Amino acid sequence: MPSNRAVSYQGPGKVTVENIDYPEFELKDGPGVNPANVGRKVPHGAIVKTVATNICGSDQHMVRGRTTAPHGLILGHEITGEVVEVGPGVEFVSVGDLVSVPFNIACGRCRNCKEGKTGICENVNPDRPGSAYGYVDMGGWVGGQAQYVLVPYADWNLLKFPDRDQAMEKILDLTMLTDIFPTGFHGCVTAGVRPGSTVYIAGAGPVGLAAAVSAFLLGAAAVIVGDLNKERLEQARSFGCETVDVSRGEPQDQIEQILGEPEVDCAVDAVGFEARGHGADSGQEQPAAVLNSLMQVTRAGGALGIPGLYVTGDPGAHDEASKQGSLSLRLGLGWAKSLSFTTGQTPVMRYNRWLMQAILHDRVQIAKAVNAVPIPLERAPKGYEDFDQGVASKFVLDPNGMLGTAA
């Protein structure tokens, strides 16, 4: 049986790479595993040898100690790999298939899955709808920043690439299909981006940059990205975005300088609950700052797409309300402007096949836009450290040395 090395959360600011058990078709007890899931049989699953697995900003929230994630949790929900074994209940996925794994774990059988709401599957997390690999309070499915990972409901969840050689040539783009590309796209779709739209995206991290790429793909006339990090803003400008440096103040004035008016048609929150204030307050954490700002800059009757993560428990928050996920929102402003809001996990399967086609047919270069940087699995701790410092890169882990010339 092959060895299995994986990235493990060891407390605030610390991750290690260690040996873990090779996957079996049964969910075992371990850090973060929901007791009701222990012993759960997975005859419908596949074991995937990881080709690429990415460090995500959502992982970083846990590693900073901003969630209730337990020590020893195996991280990683952005997984692309090769099927090496299938359970007896798998019919349409075969050994040797090169596949993308949506970060949502979904059964394909419940009411929500049948309605396309795979981010809130009712059958995979005993505590609440919705599940993901290697994430706190998501049922305890083992993470994929590892050499091998178990994927349940393989026939339903896995997206097979049609041509292996072509896929390996574009693997750094295709690895973004597991999460950030569909997440950015979902943010834009739910914000109502269409041909000719003006769009403001808060946050120039990988999801914000993916949202910007998505806005262009959807036909936006102007895409404006706001952030505090000058290197990330430069990365946004590298593929045609206008930018707003929110350390200079609220974004309205800078938006007006770009568009001739202080409002946009559509807005996307790609920051989430660790948001900081603007202008003189840019050094201070203000978890509602981005949402309130987006309500100000979005025209009446517009919409906000909110793929940025918000949590129900934040032990690192600076006040008691925020520790419970309770934020000081200007809901009256949103109500007065008749704004629409869409939150929650992105239903990746709603978009990943279409975005795969866009990549394979050279309609988009998402890896270049987010500055994808492959690194060996053993360098994951340094990758987390650099990402936390705000580097303008999307780190792609290479657990089995399969990225080849892509690296």
Side-chain angles (χ1 to χ4, degrees), residues 56-79:
C56 179
S58 298
D59 298 321
Q60 199 66 268
H61 292 307
M62 289 187 290
V63 172
R64 290 189 187 116
R66 298 300 299 269
T67 71
T68 56
H71 293 198
L73 183 73
I74 301 303
L75 300 169
H77 56 271
E78 299 189 10
I79 308 159

Side-chain angles (χ1 to χ4, degrees), residues 176-193:
M176 305 304 163
L177 292 174
T178 64
D179 183 355
I180 68 162
F181 196 8
T183 293
F185 195 83
H186 181 63
C188 288
V189 168
T190 54
V193 178

